[in-house]
């Protein structure tokens, strides 16, 4: 089991989808399998709070946690919408294969990524930039590492006891020698 931590920091240079008022952007984050033939994958969608009157930029600073079978076999879909009382308007969307990103970073390392949104009405244009921090860790690896650490600590305790016993025996031998 892998855990992916994502912090949605904010967005800049968002495409404007409103005419008269300032946009109220929010971000949706969806984790799905890279291999769409995987049937037992539970779709996981989360979203930020709306940045009221954010306009062409937004600040969220919100943390999200996703549990997945394998962090190297998932895709992150990001979509920014303008909150609207009738129907929310999509500002932009992008799908990102996380495997190449995670391959560049060590487990538990927190790193920042800026990801370009694609304008859905003209895919050759960008619709803004999303700033995120990401981090992953593998629970099985962490359990194995914890077991190795615990084993090493047990071994150190054993050596410590042996040294204490040897010291006590040497002290007793020195006392006996002094008495004689």
């Amino acid at each position: 089991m892998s855990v992916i931590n994502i912090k949605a920091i904010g967005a800049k240079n968002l495409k404007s989808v409103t005419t008269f008022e300032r946009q109220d952007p929010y971000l949706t984050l969806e984790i799905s399998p890279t291999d769409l033939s995987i049937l037992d994958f539970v779709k996981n969608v989360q979203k930020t709070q709306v940045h009221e009157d954010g306009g062409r930029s937004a600040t969220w600073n919100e943390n999200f946690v996703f549990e997945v079978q394998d962090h190297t076999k998932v895709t992150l879909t990001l979509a920014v919408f303008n909150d609207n009382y009738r129907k929310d308007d999509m500002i932009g969307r992008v799908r990102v294969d996380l495997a190449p990103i995670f391959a560049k970073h060590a487990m538990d390392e927190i790193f920042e990524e800026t990801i370009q949104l694609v304008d859905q009405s003209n895919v050759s244009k960008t619709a803004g930039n999303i700033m995120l921090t990401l981090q992953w860790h593998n629970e099985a690896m962490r359990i194995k590492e914890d077991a190795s650490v615990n084993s090493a600590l047990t071994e150190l305790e054993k050596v410590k006891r042996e040294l204490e016993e040897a010291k006590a025996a040497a002290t007793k031998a020195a006392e006996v020698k002094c008495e004689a």
Side-chain angles (χ1 to χ4, degrees):
M1 177 69 66
S2 293
V3 175
I4 300 171
N5 298 310
I6 300 174
K7 181 175 184 177
I9 298 168
K12 290 184 180 177
N13 304 317
L14 294 173
K15 176 181 99 170
S16 183
V17 294
T18 62
T19 308
F20 299 110
E21 70 274 346
R22 289 177 56 86
Q23 302 185 125
D24 302 320
Y26 68 90
L27 173 70
T28 62
L29 304 93
E30 177 185 337
I31 293 284
S32 59
T34 303
D35 178 359
L36 297 177
S37 67
I38 298 173
L39 299 176
D40 65 344
F41 193 91
V42 177
K43 189 173 170 179
N44 194 342
V45 180
Q46 299 183 45
K47 75 177 213 173
T48 65
Q49 297 295 314
V50 172
H51 183 144
E52 298 288 334
D53 291 326
R56 297 197 60 217
S57 62
T59 302
W60 299 298
N61 288 320
E62 293 183 46
N63 295 304
F64 300 92
V65 177
F66 296 92
E67 290 185 2
V68 296
Q69 285 300 106
D70 184 348
H71 68 281
T72 64
K73 296 180 180 175
V74 293
T75 299
L76 173 64
T77 301
L78 301 169
V80 176
F81 294 88
N82 175 45
D83 185 49
N84 198 322
Y85 63 93
R86 280 184 246 137
K87 179 181 177 275
D88 293 354
D89 300 311
M90 181 181 286
I91 295 171
R93 182 175 186 250
V94 65
R95 287 177 54 92
V96 181
D97 181 359
L98 292 178
I101 293 172
F102 287 138
K104 296 185 290 185
H105 301 280
M107 183 171 71
D108 291 327
E109 175 186 354
I110 298 173
F111 54 95
E112 191 169 314
E113 288 286 324
T114 298
I115 299 172
Q116 282 192 336
L117 286 172
V118 176
D119 184 338
Q120 297 304 293
S121 61
N122 183 349
V123 294
S124 64
K125 291 186 175 182
T126 63
N129 298 308
I130 303 296
M131 287 74 68
L132 306 170
T133 62
L134 295 105
Q135 177 189 37
W136 68 274
H137 63 265
N138 183 309
E139 287 300 314
M141 289 174 74
R142 178 160 291 166
I143 290 167
K144 186 176 178 181
E145 287 173 355
D146 288 349
S148 294
V149 168
N150 287 338
S151 176
L153 288 173
T154 302
E155 197 59 36
L156 283 172
E157 288 293 324
K158 181 180 171 187
V159 169
K160 182 181 174 185
R161 274 194 313 274
E162 289 171 356
L163 285 171
E164 288 171 352
E165 289 170 2
K167 182 180 176 184
T171 303
K172 188 172 186 177
E175 289 173 356
V176 169
K177 189 175 182 181
C178 285
E179 290 174 3

